[in-house]
Amino acid sequence: MTGPAHIFDKPNRYIGKPEPRADAARLLQGRGRFVDDEKLPRMVHAAFVRSPHAHAKILSIDTEDARTSTGVIAIYTGADLAEHVTPYVGTLTHMAGLRSAPQHPLAMDVARWQGEPIVMVVATSRALAEDACELVDVDYDELPAAVDSETALDADTPVIHPEFGSNLAWERDVIAGDIDAAFAAPGVHVVEREFRFGRHTGVTLESRGTLCDYDPSEDQLTVYYSGQAPHMMQVIFSKHLGLPEENVRVISNDVGGSFGIKIHTYGDEIATAAAAKLLRRPVKFIADRFESFVTDIHARDHIVKAKMGITGAGTIVGIDFDDLTGIGPFSMYPRTSAIECNQVLNLTGAPYVMENYRAKGRVVFQNKTLMCQYRAVGHPIAMAIADGLLEDAARKIGMDPVALRELNLMADDSYPRTSATGMKLDDLSHKRALRKLTEIMDYQGLRADQTEARKDGIYRGIGFVSMVEVTNPSPMFYGIGGAPIASQDGATLRLDAGGALHVSSSITEQGQGTNAILAQVAAGVFGVDLNRVKVTTGDTATTPYGGGTWASRGAGIGGEAMLLAAQALKDQVLEVAGVMLQTGVEKLDIRDGAVTDLEGNERLPLADLARTVYYRGNELPNDLNPELIATRHYRVTDFPFVFTNGAMAAHVEVDTATGFVKVLHFWAVEDCGRVINPLLVDEQIRGGVVQGIGGALYEECHYSPDGQFMNATMADYMVPMASEMPDITIAHIETPTKTSVLGAKGAGEAGTGGAPAAILNAVNDALSPMGASIWQMPMTPERILTVLDKAAE
Amino acid sequence: MKAPDFDYLRPSSLDAALAMLAEHDGEAMPLAGGQSLMPMMNFRVAAPEALIDLADLTELRGITVDAGTVRIGAMTRYAELMSDATVQAHIPLIGMALPHIAHDAVRNRGTIGGSLALADPAAEMPALMLALDASIEVTGPDATRMIKADDFFLGMFETALDGELITAIHVPVATPAQRFGFHELTQRHGDYALAGVAIAQTDDSYRAAFFGVADRATRVPELEAALKRQDDMKVVLTYLDQIDFTDDLKANHTTRQRLAGVALTRTLKGMTA
Amino acid sequence: MSRSIDIKLRVNGENVSATVPARLNLVDFLREELCLTGSHVGCEHGVCGACTLTVDGDTVRGCLMLAAQANGKEITTIEGLADSGQSTALQAAFTKRNALQCGFCTPGMLASALGYVNAGGAADRDAIRQHISGNYCRCTGYQSIVDAICDVIEETRT
């Protein structure tokens, strides 16, 4: 399938143009509508008593003093809510062997991580609810905790769910070719490293929050939800609170960042809905920053032992690795916590031609906050393994890392094909992307600068990554395994009497510009001015049914649905126009809000057409039944995923006296197929890169040996701030995916997926004259000093 | 993350404030800029019975010069210090350090007195006072006394204050014979430092105060003596052993000692450049 | 001595009188009592900058100031900046550069940016980065924000 040229080339097209977002005006004037901005009559506020222990038996809960505290409306324990909420289990059938235990919104008998909600207090203000929380007396019997993933499977480590007999949640082996033979072959060099990827978390600036309202007269639950997947949450609230699906309305207005944090089932949010139902009034819960740190899903937390074999001439013969991932005490519902590891197994080395591959993944339970899918799921690990080893191998055989990539990257004309792990690949451009990258960064110039600077004792490094990003997932991602997660999305366009378009879509807006690109597609394909399109998203009551926004699917899937719907509406409108103008439909077009001839001469303004249809139907033939509304849905069919690819480079300077790393500049060349709006795509890539830099250099959830989260404040958990971030140069290759007319692949996660590997490689390039290298993220000053010391010994 | 309830008191004179402080017998806390106290209260790690807002105490305001000393009212905000001509002219070290302290919005509220009274070991201001050989003017119900900065900081969040309020800070006017240096190592601009140092050099004598490295801002007399002797830097740095360096998540004591050495070396280099 | 305090202040040019709990911070007061929800709450410990607003012309953290301390003060929130036209140029530049995504940091970021521009700050990228480094943005890479602030400075000084 390729797009008809007129969609993209006609005079009033918007696809591909850097149109500013209409939503910006609201947000810039303080008129956004975030969950905490909503205020309903009789609204009350929730706060939670949370487990201070990583693992403890709950012996008793005394709420007597709290109940008489000022402003308290209700107090619920786990047992109280268990009568009204059915438990949930984070497993999916296609993740063979994955196991997890039933979860309740509030812990029942045992608390399994520090921060797990134990008791809910509802009061007339959040402050009063917190006051009452301090008066709740929970008697705990502290249990030994399984904290460290490396010892989680040891015989003397406490088993978190005794019924499973061990802390193993899931494991999988992927084998292709004969890796042992390949590594043993004459002339093959093997590099081996142990990678450590720290735990980090999303730190959405708007914390998680919900406002739930229950109307008993209609058995109707309305949930204002700061999240990414309204329809998924509709099913979850319905299923576990025992409400008919149609009686649950989930509304996502403005969402202050999500990045995968806000697409899961959190006990405190479910409890809030249950409380609203029980109290028959609106209950609001807004997580504070401490609660966010200890309850928002965490990410990464991998220890990987990996090897790459390479010939003296630079041909990669294979990769062999073992990935150990800690996921907290449960697999998150409903997406599960095994996907991250699975992505590592599937994606490592995916840009490269490779015949031999062996990967083992083990996912283990531990008494820490739950880990689950966060922006660029598994990608930073997969890319750092392959490209980290690749540059290590390049140093070993004395080859330039760009030349080594050139030698091993899949050729741009070799698709469709599969990766070593069997992933179906098409429409990728690794080599063009790498060439463009080295051009825009002036690679040779940087190398010359590096040599000069070293003479003055200044250690700069250049690091690369060639990467893929999973986007536009098909039903094979979740739906096949039984999750209530739609892989298709819908779009509706309605031509109103005034000639404007009202469009709605099941994908959602978290700031990435979903609404803007939907409007661009609708306006451009249908043929009206952009400012005559009004967009509605994020409401299960008013939008078509669909998956929402995750896995970089909004533009590719939601955009395609909008394109198809716009084309359909256009056909319907032209049919009416043909009758009104007594002209063949093939001689008509719609441009700039009017029906025109093919040369663009106006024949009939859309407003005139619509008014005739809506107000003066008597002027139309009786057998004409105008439909000025159209809905279309779209899903990816031929591929499990549509891959975006990219090449990125980092330029860093390492202060060898302090271990501080300064990122001097970053470049990213991305091929996300057709770019709908470069202004939006570019800053999304930059934001992704900065998140990746965060993981590489700053961000880490530190736990004590007994499972206490040690740095749960914004002062101690370091997110990237403006002062230290580099300017980031973006360039595009556009290879439209053949799976859709629009040709758009996802763009939102590549920066986060690729940047850590590029930074790692750049740091190691800088450290190479000292014979030092680092394989642990974040690469803190202390860790860099440590490897420098070790090399100097 | 809401503060526990408290009484809010807003005295209009120093005497009234001191009386309130005494009346609450240790259960009330003075509120200066609030930039450290309010986060502690929001986390509920501080839960005073009452806050005594010092905002209306004119006695705690103003910057004056008299007899070779700059007197800075305790309620002087960081932003005021940065823009004040007297401070710029007579205490250049403060001008060097202030841009590194937090950010604009915090400097617009945070006060010099508040920072000193809190005695956060990572904060810059106590170290500046040590380097500058400042005196802290404190007033209690019965008397006003001067405490040398060297005697003021007793430990982590611990000072020589005894039911008193800081009323002013007295800093000697910089002389032509003096040079100053400041350097801190932070991974992010405006954060507390992993290690930092403030130095005042008078002829061949040095006052070098380290911060972010131990339980309080710290001088090492032997190190300063070694600087005076113009010992080799390798020798100078051995005297850092006398500091009981902090271990925490961002850096262990070994790293901190090393970074303190780097900060010192770089500061001295910058001063002679 | 009381756990609730009577305050009188001016907010976005209007006189406001209220009785507030002593512990109520300024940003919660503005959001909850006055329904000025443009100022956001991100961390409640003074680090993220989402609640940055203007008090007597200076930027402050709205979570690190009590409503009681705002007695007699002149407060300007993002709504006031927009309605009075003070932030018009920045709004246009932020829009043109796509210097916001989710928009949650934006009100605080605009207040900080305006503080920089009004103080005569230069179109110096490093200086701008340093100035806004107390305002956390998780969505953009900060670059577009720096670009937008540079644009405003260059446009107004040429």
Side-chain angles (χ1 to χ4, degrees), chain C residues 116-137:
Chain C
Y116 182 83
V117 173
N118 286 348
D124 171 325
R125 300 183 72 79
D126 287 343
I128 292 169
R129 282 185 179 277
Q130 196 162 315
H131 185 87
I132 61 168
S133 66
N135 291 81
Y136 170 49
C137 168

mmCIF file of all heavy atoms in Angstrom, chain C residues 116-137:
data_model
loop_
_atom_site.group_PDB
_atom_site.id
_atom_site.type_symbol
_atom_site.label_atom_id
_atom_site.label_comp_id
_atom_site.label_asym_id
_atom_site.label_seq_id
_atom_site.Cartn_x
_atom_site.Cartn_y
_atom_site.Cartn_z
ATOM 1 N N TYR C 116 13.831 36.226 33.734
ATOM 2 C CA TYR C 116 15.126 36.384 33.055
ATOM 3 C C TYR C 116 15.058 37.513 32.032
ATOM 4 O O TYR C 116 15.933 38.389 31.996
ATOM 5 C CB TYR C 116 15.502 35.068 32.368
ATOM 6 C CG TYR C 116 16.845 35.089 31.680
ATOM 7 C CD1 TYR C 116 18.016 34.860 32.395
ATOM 8 C CD2 TYR C 116 16.941 35.346 30.308
ATOM 9 C CE1 TYR C 116 19.257 34.882 31.770
ATOM 10 C CE2 TYR C 116 18.181 35.369 29.678
ATOM 11 C CZ TYR C 116 19.329 35.140 30.407
ATOM 12 O OH TYR C 116 20.555 35.159 29.783
ATOM 13 N N VAL C 117 14.013 37.495 31.228
ATOM 14 C CA VAL C 117 13.880 38.512 30.175
ATOM 15 C C VAL C 117 13.738 39.901 30.803
ATOM 16 O O VAL C 117 14.398 40.853 30.391
ATOM 17 C CB VAL C 117 12.667 38.185 29.271
ATOM 18 C CG1 VAL C 117 12.412 39.311 28.279
ATOM 19 C CG2 VAL C 117 12.891 36.863 28.540
ATOM 20 N N ASN C 118 12.889 39.994 31.814
ATOM 21 C CA ASN C 118 12.647 41.307 32.431
ATOM 22 C C ASN C 118 13.877 41.846 33.151
ATOM 23 O O ASN C 118 14.032 43.057 33.298
ATOM 24 C CB ASN C 118 11.480 41.218 33.423
ATOM 25 C CG ASN C 118 10.148 41.108 32.698
ATOM 26 O OD1 ASN C 118 10.074 41.319 31.477
ATOM 27 N ND2 ASN C 118 9.109 40.760 33.425
ATOM 28 N N ALA C 119 14.745 40.936 33.600
ATOM 29 C CA ALA C 119 15.965 41.395 34.277
ATOM 30 C C ALA C 119 17.045 41.795 33.273
ATOM 31 O O ALA C 119 18.171 42.096 33.659
ATOM 32 C CB ALA C 119 16.482 40.299 35.199
ATOM 33 N N GLY C 120 16.701 41.754 31.999
ATOM 34 C CA GLY C 120 17.665 42.165 30.990
ATOM 35 C C GLY C 120 18.650 41.074 30.627
ATOM 36 O O GLY C 120 19.748 41.357 30.134
ATOM 37 N N GLY C 121 18.272 39.835 30.848
ATOM 38 C CA GLY C 121 19.151 38.711 30.531
ATOM 39 C C GLY C 121 19.497 38.675 29.055
ATOM 40 O O GLY C 121 18.708 39.086 28.200
ATOM 41 N N ALA C 122 20.705 38.176 28.780
ATOM 42 C CA ALA C 122 21.188 38.143 27.395
ATOM 43 C C ALA C 122 20.690 36.895 26.679
ATOM 44 O O ALA C 122 20.306 35.906 27.295
ATOM 45 C CB ALA C 122 22.719 38.145 27.400
ATOM 46 N N ALA C 123 20.728 36.963 25.349
ATOM 47 C CA ALA C 123 20.355 35.807 24.528
ATOM 48 C C ALA C 123 21.530 34.842 24.482
ATOM 49 O O ALA C 123 22.035 34.481 23.420
ATOM 50 C CB ALA C 123 19.953 36.269 23.127
ATOM 51 N N ASP C 124 21.964 34.433 25.644
ATOM 52 C CA ASP C 124 23.132 33.569 25.812
ATOM 53 C C ASP C 124 22.600 32.204 26.252
ATOM 54 O O ASP C 124 22.015 32.071 27.323
ATOM 55 C CB ASP C 124 24.022 34.208 26.895
ATOM 56 C CG ASP C 124 25.166 33.310 27.343
ATOM 57 O OD1 ASP C 124 24.995 32.073 27.391
ATOM 58 O OD2 ASP C 124 26.224 33.856 27.685
ATOM 59 N N ARG C 125 22.806 31.203 25.404
ATOM 60 C CA ARG C 125 22.158 29.916 25.645
ATOM 61 C C ARG C 125 22.559 29.315 26.987
ATOM 62 O O ARG C 125 21.726 28.769 27.705
ATOM 63 C CB ARG C 125 22.469 28.934 24.519
ATOM 64 C CG ARG C 125 21.997 29.411 23.159
ATOM 65 C CD ARG C 125 22.268 28.372 22.082
ATOM 66 N NE ARG C 125 21.383 27.233 22.207
ATOM 67 C CZ ARG C 125 20.122 27.209 21.788
ATOM 68 N NH1 ARG C 125 19.590 28.275 21.219
ATOM 69 N NH2 ARG C 125 19.381 26.149 21.946
ATOM 70 N N ASP C 126 23.834 29.403 27.332
ATOM 71 C CA ASP C 126 24.278 28.812 28.599
ATOM 72 C C ASP C 126 23.661 29.547 29.787
ATOM 73 O O ASP C 126 23.253 28.933 30.769
ATOM 74 C CB ASP C 126 25.807 28.843 28.704
ATOM 75 C CG ASP C 126 26.449 27.815 27.790
ATOM 76 O OD1 ASP C 126 25.718 26.894 27.343
ATOM 77 O OD2 ASP C 126 27.649 27.927 27.494
ATOM 78 N N ALA C 127 23.604 30.867 29.670
ATOM 79 C CA ALA C 127 23.033 31.649 30.774
ATOM 80 C C ALA C 127 21.544 31.338 30.920
ATOM 81 O O ALA C 127 21.027 31.235 32.040
ATOM 82 C CB ALA C 127 23.248 33.137 30.526
ATOM 83 N N ILE C 128 20.868 31.175 29.800
ATOM 84 C CA ILE C 128 19.435 30.852 29.859
ATOM 85 C C ILE C 128 19.245 29.461 30.461
ATOM 86 O O ILE C 128 18.400 29.247 31.331
ATOM 87 C CB ILE C 128 18.801 30.950 28.462
ATOM 88 C CG1 ILE C 128 18.783 32.407 27.989
ATOM 89 C CG2 ILE C 128 17.387 30.365 28.461
ATOM 90 C CD1 ILE C 128 18.417 32.587 26.538
ATOM 91 N N ARG C 129 20.051 28.525 30.001
ATOM 92 C CA ARG C 129 19.951 27.168 30.561
ATOM 93 C C ARG C 129 20.155 27.196 32.073
ATOM 94 O O ARG C 129 19.446 26.537 32.824
ATOM 95 C CB ARG C 129 20.989 26.246 29.906
ATOM 96 C CG ARG C 129 20.593 25.770 28.512
ATOM 97 C CD ARG C 129 21.598 24.753 27.955
ATOM 98 N NE ARG C 129 21.218 24.274 26.645
ATOM 99 C CZ ARG C 129 20.349 23.281 26.418
ATOM 100 N NH1 ARG C 129 19.772 22.675 27.434
ATOM 101 N NH2 ARG C 129 20.040 22.917 25.193
ATOM 102 N N GLN C 130 21.146 27.965 32.493
ATOM 103 C CA GLN C 130 21.408 28.047 33.924
ATOM 104 C C GLN C 130 20.217 28.664 34.656
ATOM 105 O O GLN C 130 19.815 28.198 35.713
ATOM 106 C CB GLN C 130 22.672 28.877 34.152
ATOM 107 C CG GLN C 130 23.250 28.722 35.528
ATOM 108 C CD GLN C 130 24.700 29.197 35.571
ATOM 109 O OE1 GLN C 130 25.504 28.873 34.691
ATOM 110 N NE2 GLN C 130 25.026 29.978 36.576
ATOM 111 N N HIS C 131 19.659 29.702 34.058
ATOM 112 C CA HIS C 131 18.557 30.384 34.736
ATOM 113 C C HIS C 131 17.345 29.488 34.908
ATOM 114 O O HIS C 131 16.667 29.531 35.936
ATOM 115 C CB HIS C 131 18.151 31.655 33.982
ATOM 116 C CG HIS C 131 17.109 32.438 34.706
ATOM 117 N ND1 HIS C 131 17.413 33.375 35.668
ATOM 118 C CD2 HIS C 131 15.755 32.358 34.676
ATOM 119 C CE1 HIS C 131 16.293 33.852 36.174
ATOM 120 N NE2 HIS C 131 15.272 33.238 35.591
ATOM 121 N N ILE C 132 17.043 28.693 33.877
ATOM 122 C CA ILE C 132 15.832 27.858 33.977
ATOM 123 C C ILE C 132 16.141 26.484 34.569
ATOM 124 O O ILE C 132 15.287 25.599 34.562
ATOM 125 C CB ILE C 132 15.124 27.692 32.609
ATOM 126 C CG1 ILE C 132 16.045 27.014 31.588
ATOM 127 C CG2 ILE C 132 14.616 29.040 32.104
ATOM 128 C CD1 ILE C 132 15.315 26.575 30.323
ATOM 129 N N SER C 133 17.343 26.315 35.112
ATOM 130 C CA SER C 133 17.705 24.979 35.595
ATOM 131 C C SER C 133 17.030 24.631 36.920
ATOM 132 O O SER C 133 17.228 23.539 37.433
ATOM 133 C CB SER C 133 19.219 24.836 35.721
ATOM 134 O OG SER C 133 19.701 25.691 36.733
ATOM 135 N N GLY C 134 16.211 25.531 37.439
ATOM 136 C CA GLY C 134 15.386 25.180 38.588
ATOM 137 C C GLY C 134 13.978 24.798 38.180
ATOM 138 O O GLY C 134 13.086 24.682 39.020
ATOM 139 N N ASN C 135 13.760 24.653 36.877
ATOM 140 C CA ASN C 135 12.437 24.272 36.383
ATOM 141 C C ASN C 135 12.560 22.974 35.596
ATOM 142 O O ASN C 135 13.160 22.937 34.525
ATOM 143 C CB ASN C 135 11.853 25.376 35.482
ATOM 144 C CG ASN C 135 11.496 26.618 36.268
ATOM 145 O OD1 ASN C 135 12.360 27.432 36.581
ATOM 146 N ND2 ASN C 135 10.234 26.744 36.616
ATOM 147 N N TYR C 136 11.964 21.938 36.139
ATOM 148 C CA TYR C 136 12.065 20.601 35.546
ATOM 149 C C TYR C 136 11.034 20.437 34.428
ATOM 150 O O TYR C 136 9.865 20.735 34.611
ATOM 151 C CB TYR C 136 11.821 19.584 36.651
ATOM 152 C CG TYR C 136 11.655 18.146 36.237
ATOM 153 C CD1 TYR C 136 12.541 17.525 35.372
ATOM 154 C CD2 TYR C 136 10.607 17.379 36.755
ATOM 155 C CE1 TYR C 136 12.384 16.186 35.031
ATOM 156 C CE2 TYR C 136 10.453 16.046 36.427
ATOM 157 C CZ TYR C 136 11.342 15.456 35.563
ATOM 158 O OH TYR C 136 11.187 14.128 35.235
ATOM 159 N N CYS C 137 11.518 19.979 33.284
ATOM 160 C CA CYS C 137 10.619 19.616 32.182
ATOM 161 C C CYS C 137 10.985 18.200 31.768
ATOM 162 O O CYS C 137 12.136 17.945 31.429
ATOM 163 C CB CYS C 137 10.788 20.570 31.007
ATOM 164 S SG CYS C 137 9.964 19.984 29.497
#
